[in-house]
Amino acid sequence: MKERAREVGPAARRGSKADRAAADEAAVLAKIAEMRDSDRAMAGRLHAVVKAHAPGLAPKLWYGMPAYAEAGKVVCFFQSAQKFGTRYATLGFSDRARLDDGTMWPAAYALRDLTAADEARIGALVRRAVS
């Protein structure tokens, strides 16, 4: 919760929109750099996939983890296995993601590794989430 308070505190709201966007992306990249090897590799690749397939999403920290937002609202996020003490990392989508498929659909995916096929699937999901 302390990380979230720092993310939305008064200092986070200063500067131009471009300056805030650059600072937000730098914070995301710094957070990724702090992760252990397996989480860092996945988060870095995920960051590249989101930027390539949904360039309109803005990187930002959300509860201390990398997230990607549209109009300031988080659409998808990464949770490291290390931070949460789980056996896998998670790629999650908020209710802002337009992934609806009938009356039930996945909103989070467990990640143990990222293959090229996984990256393609994530790219398609991210594109769909913002379409």
Side-chain angles (χ1 to χ4, degrees):
M1 294 308 279
K2 290 178 184 178
E3 283 183 271
R4 181 69 179 143
R6 282 191 298 274
E7 292 165 13
V8 298
R13 293 188 291 267
R14 293 189 191 122
S16 72
K17 187 174 183 177
D19 290 344
R20 288 191 309 268
D24 285 344
E25 183 158 17
V28 166
L29 294 173
K31 184 56 74 172
I32 290 170
E34 292 173 5
M35 294 178 186
R36 75 173 180 210
D37 291 343
S38 59
D39 286 342
R40 183 176 53 249
M42 279 192 289
R45 288 172 62 197
L46 180 66
H47 180 77
V49 168
V50 172
K51 298 278 291 178
H53 293 275
L57 290 180
K60 66 185 273 178
L61 289 179
W62 190 54
Y63 294 101
M65 288 284 105
Y68 303 87
E70 180 178 55
K73 303 292 184 181
V74 170
V75 174
C76 61
F77 54 90
F78 176 82
Q79 293 178 326
S80 76
Q82 179 183 12
K83 179 172 181 169
F84 293 97
T86 58
R87 64 185 180 90
Y88 53 81
T90 305
L91 169 64
F93 291 89
S94 75
D95 62 329
R96 308 264 316 163
R98 297 183 259 308
L99 297 175
D100 302 34
D101 184 17
T103 59
M104 187 172 102
W105 58 90
Y109 295 84
L111 304 172
R112 289 191 315 151
D113 193 15
L114 284 181
T115 65
D118 297 333
E119 289 180 15
R121 184 173 178 201
I122 290 167
L125 282 168
V126 171
R127 274 193 310 275
R128 186 172 156 208
V130 296
S131 65

